[in-house]
Amino acid sequence: MDRELEIKQMLEKRKIQLFFKRAMDIVISGAALLVIWPVFLLIALAIVIDDPGPVFYRQVRVGRGGKTFRIFKFRTMVADADKKGLSITVGRDSRITRVGAFLRKTKLDELAQLMNVFAGDMSFVGPRPEVPHYVQMYTPYQRQVLLVRPGITDYASIAYRNENELLAEASDPEKCYIEEIMPAKIEWNMKYLHEISPLADIRLIFKTIAAVVRG
């Protein structure tokens, strides 16, 4: 509890920085949505032609303060994929479509989350939002990541860019995620909590772009 109070006090001291962080999110996401809507249209057409069904995949995630919201992603799996397997993606998951594989590799599927950023559910940078099933397993220490808006990218997203491959090598993917990957990702998120600021966001965005290009 002392650790949580420490984080809360630190965030309180950075209210002005957090205000500018949110302002940056609104301005950039709004401008991006106005400029790249033709890209959205092309992605939507590719998805529907490859596999008829919804363009967007909307899943319940846990955001700031434990409040749930529906995250937007361009659909990369067959329709109703949630009913046909795990809530995590393992290796070359057979549910992933051809267009979906490309969108995942280039991270274009995440572009749809600009709508979540503009709406205030998310930020460009912050702990990746988790599904309720896994958040219920968080310890009080781990729940500190819920003190801030979740993001499209973070340190953990870069460090575990090959998460699917790691899970594919595990004998029990779900156990591996819960006991090894999820705690490690939360530690990366805690690092971000201690340095959260618009400048830190800009650095992480450039690191993410570099990781995508290398990938």
Side-chain angles (χ1 to χ4, degrees):
M1 186 61 69
D2 290 340
R3 284 176 176 268
E4 183 176 351
L5 180 60
E6 178 187 342
I7 295 292
K8 285 182 176 179
Q9 290 175 339
M10 182 192 66
L11 293 175
E12 183 65 25
K13 291 178 181 178
R14 297 187 181 183
K15 284 181 70 173
I16 295 178
Q17 288 183 310
L18 293 174
F19 171 80
F20 281 110
K21 173 179 163 69
R22 177 59 190 148
M24 185 173 71
D25 285 340
I26 294 172
V27 172
I28 297 177
S29 63
L33 287 168
L34 288 173
V35 171
I36 67 173
W37 67 264
V39 177
F40 273 46
L41 181 58
L42 289 174
I43 292 173
L45 288 173
I47 290 170
V48 173
I49 291 172
D50 185 37
D51 183 75
V55 169
F56 296 111
Y57 169 67
R58 299 193 67 194
Q59 184 184 47
V60 175
R61 298 288 180 98
V62 181
R64 186 173 63 169
K67 181 181 177 181
T68 58
F69 69 98
R70 287 191 176 273
I71 194 171
F72 278 98
K73 282 190 176 186
F74 282 110
R75 183 170 60 88
T76 60
M77 290 186 168
V78 296
D80 298 322
D82 285 348
K83 301 175 183 178
K84 301 173 183 177
L86 298 172
S87 56
I88 53 176
T89 308
V90 180
R92 297 182 181 277
D93 197 308
S94 60
R95 296 172 296 173
I96 300 175
T97 63
R98 289 173 299 176
V99 168
F102 173 77
L103 294 177
R104 282 171 174 259
K105 184 177 181 180
T106 57
K107 293 296 183 181
L108 287 173
D109 60 319
E110 310 282 0
L111 276 181
Q113 286 160 47
L114 287 170
M115 293 183 283
N116 288 119
V117 173
F118 189 76
D121 299 319
M122 295 176 64
S123 175
F124 275 106
V125 179
R128 284 295 295 167
E130 193 60 89
V131 296
H133 169 67
Y134 294 126
V135 173
Q136 289 172 3
M137 302 177 190
Y138 283 5
T139 65
Y141 166 76
Q142 292 173 329
R143 289 189 67 85
Q144 291 179 93
V145 300
L146 302 179
L147 291 173
V148 297
R149 281 189 180 88
I152 295 177
T153 188
D154 60 356
Y155 283 119
S157 298
I158 299 170
Y160 283 90
R161 183 167 167 75
N162 64 335
E163 181 181 317
N164 289 358
E165 286 71 25
L166 292 174
L167 292 172
E169 295 171 358
S171 56
D172 186 336
E174 181 113 18
K175 182 178 180 181
C176 175
Y177 183 77
I178 293 171
E179 297 182 359
E180 297 178 31
I181 294 178
M182 187 172 75
K185 289 167 73 172
I186 289 175
E187 287 304 316
W188 279 112
N189 293 333
M190 294 303 295
K191 169 181 168 61
Y192 173 71
L193 284 184
H194 282 88
E195 60 182 46
I196 186 170
S197 70
L199 183 59
D201 283 10
I202 292 171
R203 286 199 300 264
L204 268 167
I205 288 170
F206 277 106
K207 286 183 178 181
T208 300
I209 293 171
V212 171
V213 172
R214 288 197 304 270

